[in-house]
Amino acid sequence: MIELNPLERKNVNRLSDKTRTLATQYLSGQFRKELQMPDFSIDDLDLPDNISPIERHAMMAILIAQKSPLIFRPEEKIAGSAPLIPAMMHQVPGMKGRYSISHTTADFGDAIRKGLSGLERELHNYSNETQEEANFRNALLQVITAMRIWVARYVDLCRRHSDSPNPENIKSILKTLQNVPENPPSDFREALQSFWLFFEFQRLCGNWSGLGRFDQILGPYLENDLQTGKIQLDEARELIAHFWIKGTEWCYGLRKYNPGEPGSGDAQHYQNIILSGIDENGLNIENAATYLVLDVIEELHISDYPVAVRINRQTSQKLLRRIADVQLLGGGIVSIYNEDVVMNGLRQMGFPEKEIVNFTNDGCWEVIFPGKTAFSYTPFDLLQVFQHALFSPNIPESFDELYQRYLECLRQYVKDWRQTVFNRHYAESTDPVTGKKVFKHFDPAPEAVLSLVMPSCRQSGRPYYNLGTSYTINALHAGGLPDVANSLLAIKKKIFEEHRLPLSELVKILKDNWNGNELLRQEFANSILYYGNDDDEADAMTKTAFDDYAEIVAASEPIPGVLTPAGISTFGREIEFAPYRKATAFGKYAGEYLAPNMSPTPGTEKNALTAVLNSYCKMDFSGTPNGCPLDLRLSAGMRKLPNAPDILVTLFKAFLEQGGFYLQLDTVDAATLREAQKDPDRFPNLVVRISGWSARFASLSKEWQDMIINRTELEA
Amino acid sequence: MTGVIFDIARFALTDGPGIRSVVFFKGCPLRCQWCHNPESHSIKPEIMFFKEKCLNCGLCEKYCACGCHTLASRIHQFTPNPCKGCGQCAKVCPTKALTVSGQTVTAENVIDTLEKDSAYYNNGGGITLSGGEPLFQPKFSIALLKLAKEKNWHTAVETCGYANWDIIRQILPLVDLWLYDVKCIAPDKHLAFTGVDNSIILENLHKLNETGAVIELRTPLIHGVNDDDHDILQLVELAGKLCNVTGIHPEPYHPFGQDKLIRLCHSPQPPFPVADDNELKRYQNILGNFYLA
Ligand code: SF4
């Protein structure tokens, strides 16, 4: 038996051996040598000089469809592959240096239901009001042609394989391809194949769209087939497993072709999936597809696609339990949204109610609407903004003065950012008649392939990048907010309340990275409870910094056609930020890795995990409608507690009840334990399960720590 | 109403069902040689010294009224003998190398802290009084449990059972689950290793069982003391006679109490051997249906 997830508590073994073998082959990067550089380029085409840029892009799609290598393994239950290296590297194959689109989610449900023929009819039904619209819609029709060419090549290939060892499978695929993606699917298998082809073609052309609400899209087909007996659960699970396995086709590819890239093993391409949550009628989506996806993740432990489940107070106990089971496998593949809180933020931003219920996410957790959003974001380091204020030449006389100065710096930053976003979407020119300055939209990269699966683009007659989607969003994501709050708290208490030393002196000490002031550093670090300890004073300070950040972004001058919501995240950038950060007043040295996302600064959480969750939940997330995640780490040994899933379910419920936003849970691995051993102050509340009892890891002697590390390593 | 505790642990997962907060009482009538929490023995506040964190700055020496801290040859030495547990040193120590174990707190204070996690007590969780020995401070225990019951929390009490029956009787209606420690059935061994006779403990256990209270037995299993087949079988036999005992949770010995003794500047006890996985399996096998994970 193949060991796909060595961390499994129980031996999950629902999939066939064949499928498990295929998964190991993909996940070990065995097929990466099939990834190729295109041997064609846009220059091969003899295009008229006056062709519009968008139609030029569509012609490229046709060339890709005609020339891209086809990969078909007779044991695979789904046809279609994207083996082009530029696509894997976020570029349009054949158009050197042209970056493609990521951080959005198309409306694949709509595309599947209509099929290529339906999309074609729809495009013909629009009346084009300008030449640009006509060019655009014509380009989309060309993309439909491209997909037909590409699919026809697969049909051909399958026919040639019909004497392979798997004739039954090939017959099924051929039968499926006779109907989809051309027409609306008649059953689950067709719907899944159609989904894959729409997804895979945009991927082949370099785009990295998310997949959206998988169970909402496919559940009805599956439920119907199950009811009529057309398919059994086991077979449906196999099919979904193949959808997941094929998603990892770029596994290890980046590492091979881009040696600078550390590479995570899996295909980290921000192609997210959402499960559950309410539908237009306010009813929770929980169907066979929801559970089969969780089954597949549990068994194959494939971490890309990242899956987020939308939960609410009505989410069934059964689903919460399943999420817990899968989360306990470690790796943090499945995360959760508290959808009532997310939707409340969207409501306050003014989105219509029927839109709100449909939210999905992009590459990480930024909230968007599928098929309707052109998304980008600007990450920045709030701690550097604060330190700019703190280290400016005149030392503030009071805490209030310091705080106001920080807010000033933040306002200036937000203003500059707003200007950059504006410039990205609008070009300044002079009106020839009036001589007045005007601002015109402009289209930085005409995009036809993804625009086809964006209903809002088809309707508006404008491409993705040219405000064609219903919403164009550029979100601002602040990193280091907890670090700012902790700095403020330390200065307020130690300098302005206890008068331990004048601020000017502390500033000098911090500039000198606490050099020669170890006792003072320890005092600042240890005598105050910071964010993440459920301490009212620390959390109030954090809340003030949080609300003021949200308010400043919300008050930013609107950009016509572009929304600029706030979010709080680091996306792992605490590592990138580190070299630019000076020492902090709460006892950290310059260059340390500080708070990830909205999680406490490592080492400052001296209390239990529930305290971290409580502190986080005190924030008002309606101010950060674009996302504000919390990472919680459970000890890997918790898996062994017989009631571990119940404990997670209880945590989820408290997270809902207390109004959290987005939660990522992980269990701890040996590498983390080794770090914790080297640097116990960063992991003071890491509890490890030993054998019939639990202990705080930092409190154990070296010998015992070694033992536990050793054992965790053996587990893995 | 005040009492003396040495810790409140939140997100505790092994002291009763669900997610719990555990109040650790200070003061215990037993002196088990393997004790995992030696700081719980005395009801008086005690200083714990974490040598590895000390920077030898001398602040503690300066603020100590009893002369417990000296910095002879620049190395900080702590002698707890004349210590009154005033905690001044812990207050000034910048590195938290010194902490006070034992705070006098009001029941309301404790409840406020427990309240912070009340959202997690649903689904079977709640609060647990542990120690040390909660029955050693009966009035404080009753006060806490009454307040907890007003909030509808599930309550558990972990006790060694060495108390006047009257106390147990008073607390009884306020407790949903008893985590009852039986260290050993053989009276001579019990006396030798815990310092007290176990007849009152076993008698109380029988009486408790008759009241219909829900009881989970907990037994520290110490190699060479009370973990041979015969000892464990005696436990099983006892549990079999008590209709309200749901099972026996074995607590294998670990040597972390040793570290704590050093931090308390007590002389460490000779350690017991740590049971390996085979031993744990054996415990589980003998306990059979009574085994509780
Ligand atoms: S105050 Fe703390 S750091 Fe300083 S000598 Fe005493 S124990 Fe050591």
Side-chain angles (χ1 to χ4, degrees):
Chain A
M1 192 44 53
I2 300 141
E3 214 27 66
L4 280 156
N5 175 13
L7 291 181
E8 280 171 13
R9 275 170 307 129
K10 49 186 182 285
N11 220 355
V12 187
N13 188 9
R14 304 185 195 90
L15 294 169
S16 68
D17 277 1
K18 263 193 195 156
T19 297
R20 292 169 68 95
T21 309
L22 190 67
T24 18
Q25 287 171 321
Y26 267 93
L27 289 168
S28 58
Q30 205 168 309
F31 300 136
R32 72 173 176 190
K33 43 189 175 312
E34 290 170 8
L35 300 171
Q36 292 177 26
M37 282 309 285
D39 56 1
F40 52 86
S41 103
I42 189 80
D43 303 329
D44 304 346
L45 294 172
D46 195 14
L47 296 172
D49 288 347
N50 62 350
I51 188 172
S52 66
I54 190 87
E55 286 166 299
R56 193 163 170 269
H57 183 246
M59 293 315 287
M60 189 64 239
I62 290 188
L63 193 62
I64 293 171
Q66 288 168 336
K67 295 284 173 81
S68 163
L70 303 180
I71 291 179
F72 180 74
R73 279 173 258 284
E75 69 268 36
E76 290 182 9
K77 294 176 188 291
I78 298 174
S81 296
L84 292 176
I85 291 163
M88 181 187 67
M89 296 173 79
H90 208 299
Q91 288 169 18
V92 181
M95 292 177 105
K96 238 187 154 80
R98 238 299 292 285
Y99 280 93
S100 39
I101 299 175
S102 59
H103 290 90
T104 190
T105 294
D107 191 345
F108 291 110
D110 167 78
I112 296 165
R113 282 188 295 275
K114 289 175 179 156
L116 291 172
S117 57
L119 293 175
E120 193 175 37
R121 268 198 306 280
E122 185 189 312
L123 285 165
H124 283 307
N125 281 342
Y126 291 119
S127 51
N128 296 317
E129 285 173 11
T130 62
Q131 187 55 42
E132 272 157 17
E133 276 184 38
N135 294 346
F136 172 70
R137 293 207 177 95
N138 184 43
L140 299 197
L141 290 167
Q142 298 300 329
V143 176
I144 292 177
T145 306
M147 272 192 76
R148 284 178 176 147
I149 294 171
W150 183 62
V151 174
R153 288 178 65 209
Y154 271 101
V155 170
D156 234 41
L157 186 67
C158 284
R159 289 214 175 103
R160 272 184 274 133
H161 268 93
S162 57
D163 56 345
S164 80
N166 259 323
E168 279 310 307
N169 183 43
I170 291 178
K171 239 201 253 158
S172 304
I173 289 182
L174 271 170
K175 189 166 162 268
T176 310
L177 292 182
Q178 259 151 34
N179 193 40
V180 294
E182 188 59 37
N183 302 308
S186 64
D187 61 15
F188 173 67
R189 185 166 187 150
E190 286 183 7
L192 189 78
Q193 174 69 72
S194 189
F195 195 159
W196 178 256
L197 290 169
F198 276 109
F199 170 67
E200 189 71 342
F201 189 69
Q202 60 87 35
R203 189 148 94 145
L204 179 66
C205 295
N207 298 312
W208 297 357
S209 169
L211 292 104
R213 306 183 72 179
F214 192 88
D215 52 352
Q216 187 196 36
I217 296 170
L218 293 174
Y221 297 100
L222 179 55
E223 290 287 350
N224 192 45
D225 284 7
L226 288 167
Q227 233 165 45
T228 60
K230 193 166 187 182
I231 201 170
Q232 304 301 314
L233 267 185
D234 284 343
E235 196 189 339
R237 192 185 295 110
E238 293 283 322
L239 284 166
I240 292 179
H242 281 238
F243 195 99
W244 250 253
I245 293 168
K246 286 183 70 72
T248 67
E249 68 193 325
W250 293 342
C251 216
Y252 289 107
L254 276 180
R255 221 182 281 184
K256 186 174 174 197
Y257 296 104
N258 198 2
E261 179 80 30
S264 59
D266 283 20
Q268 306 295 321
H269 295 97
Y270 323 123
Q271 292 157 356
N272 287 31
I273 282 180
I274 293 271
L275 293 179
S276 198
I278 58 169
D279 63 13
E280 297 82 15
N281 304 319
L283 299 172
N284 263 333
I285 297 164
E286 268 184 45
N287 54 48
T290 320
Y291 288 95
L292 289 183
V293 166
L294 293 172
D295 282 0
V296 167
I297 296 171
E298 183 179 44
E299 183 158 351
L300 299 182
H301 211 242
I302 291 175
S303 65
D304 210 354
Y305 329 102
V307 173
V309 191
R310 289 172 41 170
I311 62 171
N312 57 48
R313 280 163 209 249
Q314 269 70 51
T315 302
S316 74
Q317 185 75 12
K318 184 179 162 204
L319 182 57
L320 294 177
R321 245 327 260 254
R322 276 309 278 152
I323 301 169
D325 284 340
V326 177
Q327 282 188 332
L328 281 168
L329 297 177
I333 300 170
V334 177
S335 52
I336 54 176
Y337 280 106
N338 182 357
E339 70 170 6
D340 288 331
V341 169
V342 175
M343 292 193 291
N344 185 39
L346 295 171
R347 200 169 287 131
Q348 294 205 13
M349 266 188 82
F351 289 108
E353 205 63 25
K354 69 171 195 327
E355 205 85 290
I356 287 172
V357 295
N358 263 323
F359 82 88
T360 58
N361 57 0
D362 82 312
C364 294
W365 39 74
E366 302 93 311
V367 173
I368 58 172
F369 304 111
K372 294 190 169 166
T373 318
F375 182 79
S376 55
Y377 74 99
T378 309
F380 80 108
D381 183 6
L382 194 64
L383 182 61
Q384 281 175 59
V385 173
F386 172 76
Q387 295 198 327
H388 183 76
L390 179 63
F391 295 121
S392 64
N394 354 335
I395 303 292
E397 309 247 305
S398 67
F399 178 75
D400 207 47
E401 198 186 323
L402 169 68
Y403 191 66
Q404 290 310 324
R405 199 179 281 180
Y406 151 65
L407 291 186
E408 258 331 294
C409 288
L410 180 57
R411 272 186 210 105
Q412 188 57 47
Y413 178 86
V414 171
K415 212 171 144 197
D416 295 346
W417 162 72
R418 188 242 166 231
Q419 191 58 47
T420 317
V421 175
F422 183 86
N423 294 346
R424 196 177 304 161
H425 292 280
Y426 290 90
E428 189 188 314
S429 63
T430 317
D431 189 301
V433 183
T434 61
K436 266 194 194 159
K437 260 207 253 169
V438 289
F439 293 93
K440 257 190 85 175
H441 298 156
F442 74 109
D443 188 2
E447 220 297 331
V449 176
L450 200 67
S451 301
L452 176 68
V453 271
M454 291 278 178
S456 49
C457 291
R458 296 198 303 266
Q459 198 189 356
S460 68
R462 279 208 310 271
Y464 180 86
Y465 275 129
N466 195 3
L467 307 187
T469 51
S470 312
Y471 309 107
T472 293
I473 297 182
N474 189 303
L476 186 64
H477 275 261
L481 190 129
D483 308 313
V484 171
N486 292 346
S487 302
L488 286 164
L489 186 69
I491 292 172
K492 178 167 178 250
K493 289 185 77 91
K494 287 287 165 187
I495 306 296
F496 294 108
E497 284 173 13
E498 290 176 27
H499 303 287
R500 283 288 284 117
L501 66 167
L503 186 57
S504 56
E505 230 152 276
L506 177 71
V507 164
K508 249 191 246 148
I509 291 170
L510 293 181
K511 277 186 180 162
D512 198 25
N513 201 14
W514 292 106
N515 225 326
N517 283 287
E518 181 57 12
L519 280 173
L520 198 69
R521 187 188 76 80
Q522 293 252 6
E523 182 191 325
F524 276 55
N526 294 322
S527 62
I528 299 174
L529 281 178
Y530 293 105
Y531 168 72
N533 290 293
D534 203 2
D535 177 74
D536 287 337
E537 196 178 359
D539 295 340
M541 178 64 83
T542 313
K543 194 169 166 2
T544 305
F546 187 104
D547 292 345
D548 286 336
Y549 161 69
E551 205 184 298
I552 288 172
V553 180
S556 169
E557 190 190 336
I559 302 172
V562 182
L563 297 163
T564 54
I568 292 177
S569 306
T570 55
F571 309 100
R573 282 194 177 82
E574 61 274 19
I575 298 171
E576 265 169 54
F577 295 151
Y580 305 99
R581 291 169 159 178
K582 296 198 175 63
T584 70
F586 57 103
K588 294 292 178 186
Y589 295 112
E592 281 196 66
Y593 297 160
L594 304 181
N597 299 321
M598 193 58 206
S599 315
T601 316
T604 58
E605 74 278 46
K606 314 250 179 207
N607 227 314
L609 181 130
T610 47
V612 175
L613 192 49
N614 288 358
S615 284
Y616 166 79
C617 288
K618 287 178 198 168
M619 304 302 129
D620 174 5
F621 297 108
S622 64
T624 52
N626 204 244
C628 184
L630 174 71
D631 321 77
L632 283 183
R633 201 165 21 212
L634 296 164
S635 85
M638 206 188 120
R639 282 193 279 264
K640 298 218 180 70
L641 286 177
N643 58 343
D646 294 325
I647 287 175
L648 286 204
V649 169
T650 308
L651 284 179
F652 300 159
K653 287 188 173 164
F655 165 79
L656 286 174
E657 196 179 308
Q658 306 197 91
F661 188 97
Y662 180 71
L663 181 63
Q664 320 193 83
L665 266 177
D666 197 4
T667 44
V668 165
D669 52 53
T672 314
L673 293 176
R674 242 177 279 117
E675 264 181 76
Q677 188 180 41
K678 251 193 272 161
D679 193 356
D681 284 343
R682 272 180 58 212
F683 301 91
N685 75 337
L686 178 68
V687 174
V688 286
R689 181 93 182 146
I690 299 169
S691 158
W693 76 89
S694 300
R696 203 167 284 224
F697 188 74
S699 76
L700 300 174
S701 68
K702 168 126 192 343
E703 240 171 294
W704 276 83
Q705 290 186 344
D706 284 343
M707 187 277 284
I708 294 155
I709 290 173
N710 190 27
R711 207 179 47 196
T712 313
E713 246 158 4
L714 291 177
E715 271 177 4
Chain B
M1 179 71 233
T2 64
V4 185
I5 63 171
F6 67 91
D7 198 9
I8 296 177
R10 295 162 66 176
F11 195 58
L13 307 177
T14 51
D15 301 84
I19 296 176
R20 310 187 78 81
S21 293
V22 184
V23 185
F24 289 96
F25 282 58
K26 201 157 152 50
C28 185
L30 271 58
R31 289 291 176 272
C32 305
Q33 291 183 13
W34 51 79
C35 183
H36 294 168
N37 292 327
E39 75 272 39
S40 71
H41 290 171
S42 160
I43 197 165
K44 288 202 206 104
E46 287 165 284
I47 300 297
M48 291 179 96
F49 177 41
F50 297 75
K51 213 182 173 113
E52 66 282 7
K53 290 190 186 170
C54 176
L55 294 175
N56 303 305
C57 70
L59 273 173
C60 48
E61 181 186 36
K62 203 156 127 202
Y63 283 85
C64 179
C66 312
C68 303
H69 304 276
T70 60
L71 266 98
S73 66
R74 298 243 190 98
I75 300 292
H76 173 206
Q77 300 280 340
F78 170 55
T79 10
N81 264 342
C83 179
K84 294 203 180 78
C86 70
Q88 271 309 317
C89 57
K91 232 184 241 157
V92 298
C93 174
T95 68
K96 297 266 184 254
L98 296 165
T99 60
V100 197
S101 172
Q103 293 89 41
T104 301
V105 287
T106 66
E108 288 75 16
N109 278 163
V110 174
I111 291 291
D112 284 348
T113 306
L114 302 179
E115 180 95 63
K116 283 174 176 265
D117 276 0
S118 59
Y120 307 87
Y121 301 158
N122 305 321
N123 306 323
I127 65 150
T128 300
L129 309 188
S130 181
E133 177 50 61
L135 303 186
F136 211 51
Q137 300 179 53
K139 286 199 182 119
F140 186 54
S141 289
I142 289 173
L144 276 179
L145 291 167
K146 270 195 180 142
L147 290 170
K149 275 292 145 209
E150 277 170 24
K151 304 203 178 272
N152 255 321
W153 295 338
H154 179 274
T155 56
V157 170
E158 177 160 23
T159 176
C160 69
Y162 193 77
N164 192 319
W165 171 251
D166 234 35
I167 292 173
I168 299 179
R169 201 180 40 83
Q170 282 176 51
I171 287 184
L172 196 57
L174 301 168
V175 182
D176 297 311
L177 172 68
W178 291 84
L179 306 171
Y180 201 103
D181 289 8
V182 176
K183 318 279 183 190
C184 166
I185 306 277
D188 48 336
K189 270 201 253 184
H190 197 282
L191 182 60
F193 285 95
T194 71
V196 305
D197 183 90
N198 68 356
S199 55
I200 177 167
I201 295 174
L202 295 175
E203 201 182 301
N204 282 339
L205 177 60
H206 278 96
K207 283 187 184 159
L208 191 60
N209 178 61
E210 272 157 36
T211 66
V214 184
I215 309 165
E216 191 182 306
L217 296 186
R218 312 208 130 200
T219 296
L221 286 175
I222 316 299
H223 194 64
V225 178
N226 64 350
D227 81 331
D228 67 29
D229 292 6
H230 178 69
D231 291 314
I232 304 176
L233 279 169
Q234 278 188 321
L235 273 177
V236 172
E237 194 187 327
L238 171 71
K241 281 192 225 147
L242 303 168
C243 55
N244 291 312
V245 166
T246 57
I248 303 167
H249 172 74
E251 293 177 315
Y253 170 78
H254 62 71
F256 305 139
Q258 300 286 329
D259 281 357
K260 291 183 176 175
L261 282 172
I262 296 169
R263 283 163 189 174
L264 289 164
C265 300
H266 295 309
S267 40
Q269 301 266 7
F272 295 92
V274 174
D276 61 18
D277 282 353
N278 285 337
E279 288 288 278
L280 299 180
K281 263 267 135 57
R282 181 173 64 87
Y283 298 161
Q284 192 175 339
N285 284 342
I286 307 175
L287 290 173
N289 284 343
F290 285 105
Y291 173 77
L292 290 177

